[in-house]
Amino acid sequence: MARLLSSISTYAYTENKDTLFVHLYIGGVIKKQLDGQGIEIKVTSEFPWDGTVKVEMPATEKPFTLAFRIPRWAKNYQVKGIEGAKTEEKAGYLYVTKQWTGTETVEVEFPMEVRLVQTNPKVRENIGKIAVVRGPIVYCLEEADNGADLHLVRLSPKAVCEVKAEKIAGEPVKTVLTEGLRQKNSENPEEEELYTIAEPDTEVPADLKFIPYYVWANRGENEMMVWVKKA
């Protein structure tokens, strides 16, 4: 952990002579030499909860390029503040090149809608299952919000999802609320037999809350599940 934190800037940004590559949208100030000219580039990011990223560029004596990584989930991004610039998207990056004339701000807005995703059918363990993702964050169900026996829950790929700002263990996060189905348990669970004649499942509507995967296990020992059966 100490090694990761001390080197995080090298994962977020790299450079060559006339280009700054923004790989991870982490706020910070980058100091760079450009043909003997010292410049400071300020990055402000609202990731991972909101998709707004702003880059403040000082004046440059020659054309300089900002290269923004475009995640696969963010194809519908929008860019502002690039008037007069040459732009090109290639190999997963948006290249913005111009001679910057003063303190100019480039703003990139990434979509943060909830996505219900599935894996390649060759992943046998996930056949017939979907997961909830928003922006770069993977979500999960936890027993603390949804009760025990999470394996009885199903979720439709067409489910309508609501995003809500909350706190978990004091940490501000955004949760995802939706409705799924839960297989109804026997009226007398003590009398259940291990094997019975197969019958259609009886299901009831269930309100579901998904939380960011990284904050689970902060509210006592309980179940957790990422991949949910598809309804």
Side-chain angles (χ1 to χ4, degrees):
M1 181 62 71
R3 183 164 42 195
L4 172 64
L5 292 177
S6 63
S7 60
I8 193 68
S9 62
T10 62
Y11 293 99
Y13 310 103
T14 56
E15 63 174 348
N16 60 28
K17 182 179 179 181
D18 58 2
T19 304
L20 175 69
F21 293 88
V22 184
H23 307 296
L24 302 176
Y25 293 102
I26 300 173
V29 176
I30 300 94
K31 297 182 179 181
K32 177 174 174 57
Q33 289 292 318
L34 183 60
D35 292 326
Q37 175 192 7
I39 63 173
E40 285 190 357
I41 305 169
K42 182 179 180 181
V43 179
T44 305
S45 173
E46 297 182 13
F47 267 52
W49 309 121
D50 293 292
T52 302
V53 178
K54 296 180 180 179
V55 179
E56 294 182 17
M57 275 295 303
T60 60
E61 297 176 356
K62 295 182 178 180
F64 182 79
T65 300
L66 294 171
F68 298 94
R69 185 179 69 87
I70 307 301
R72 289 185 61 186
W73 52 264
K75 293 301 182 183
N76 296 324
Y77 69 94
Q78 297 181 341
V79 186
K80 301 176 183 177
I82 56 173
E83 295 78 9
K86 177 184 176 182
T87 61
E88 180 183 12
E89 186 174 338
K90 63 179 181 180
Y93 285 78
L94 172 68
Y95 292 80
V96 179
T97 304
K98 67 178 293 186
Q99 182 176 347
W100 306 87
T101 58
T103 302
E104 300 183 62
T105 301
V106 178
E107 182 175 323
V108 187
E109 186 71 33
F110 294 101
M112 285 287 179
E113 71 271 13
V114 176
R115 309 186 310 282
L116 303 181
V117 303
Q118 64 185 22
T119 56
N120 187 296
K122 293 181 180 180
V123 183
R124 298 183 182 185
E125 292 79 3
N126 290 341
I127 288 293
K129 295 180 181 180
I130 55 180
V132 174
V133 183
R134 180 178 182 269
I137 299 292
V138 175
Y139 281 72
C140 69
L141 291 173
E142 193 172 25
E143 181 182 345
D145 303 305
N146 302 282
D149 299 324
L150 296 178
H151 64 284
L152 300 179
V153 170
R154 293 201 300 157
L155 180 65
S156 169
K158 298 182 179 180
V160 176
C161 298
E162 174 190 353
V163 179
K164 184 178 179 181
E166 298 188 44
K167 285 189 176 182
I168 295 179
E171 173 78 7
V173 300
K174 289 194 175 179
T175 60
V176 174
L177 310 178
T178 188
E179 187 174 277
L181 296 170
R182 179 183 286 271
Q183 183 176 325
K184 192 174 180 181
N185 285 326
S186 168
E187 298 291 337
N188 299 300
E190 297 82 3
E191 300 177 3
E192 286 182 351
E193 298 181 8
L194 182 58
Y195 303 107
T196 59
I197 298 300
E199 297 179 354
D201 292 333
T202 301
E203 295 179 310
V204 295
D207 293 326
L208 303 177
K209 177 190 285 190
F210 289 81
I211 67 170
Y213 175 78
Y214 79 90
V215 296
W216 79 277
N218 280 288
R219 295 174 291 175
E221 185 176 344
N222 62 163
E223 291 183 57
M224 182 278 295
M225 185 167 64
V226 172
W227 293 96
V228 183
K229 288 187 292 184
K230 189 187 302 183

